[in-house]
Amino acid sequence: MGSAVCGLVLVLPQLVAVYFMFLAYMADPVGPWDSETVAHSNFASGLVLAVSAVTALLTWLFVKATWLRKWWYAIPTALAIAALLRLTVFAPEI
């Protein structure tokens, strides 16, 4: 029962992070004047980084308590890498 609760506690914020990551990658500026779209993409990516950090800490806690397995670290790591890539390499250009 503890594993199911811990999994649910981790999956819900990660689904929100996936949604914001989707929004960040779908943001495409219309032209050089559209700095608002770039700002929204950067904000969404930053929010994903924050949520990934919190869920990584919760994952560490749950793995230490042996309620979850170590593969749960992969989800916040993948989200953080995707957010960092959106902020740097794949940043929208204006």
Side-chain angles (χ1 to χ4, degrees):
M1 186 70 179
S3 296
V5 171
C6 292
L8 186 64
V9 166
L10 289 177
V11 165
L12 292 178
Q14 289 170 351
L15 286 176
V16 172
V18 166
Y19 175 71
F20 278 108
M21 197 75 262
F22 174 75
L23 290 179
Y25 272 95
M26 291 298 114
D28 190 27
V30 178
W33 63 88
D34 195 11
S35 62
E36 186 176 338
T37 301
V38 174
H40 289 162
S41 174
N42 291 341
F43 178 77
S45 296
L47 188 62
V48 170
L49 279 175
V51 170
S52 294
V54 170
T55 56
L57 289 173
L58 283 173
T59 303
W60 175 76
L61 178 71
F62 295 154
V63 168
K64 279 291 193 189
T66 65
W67 291 328
L68 295 177
R69 296 186 187 266
K70 290 183 181 182
W71 68 265
W72 279 86
Y73 288 124
I75 301 169
T77 303
L79 286 171
I81 289 171
L84 285 173
L85 285 174
R86 182 59 177 176
L87 285 171
T88 56
V89 178
F90 300 126
E93 297 178 13
I94 54 172

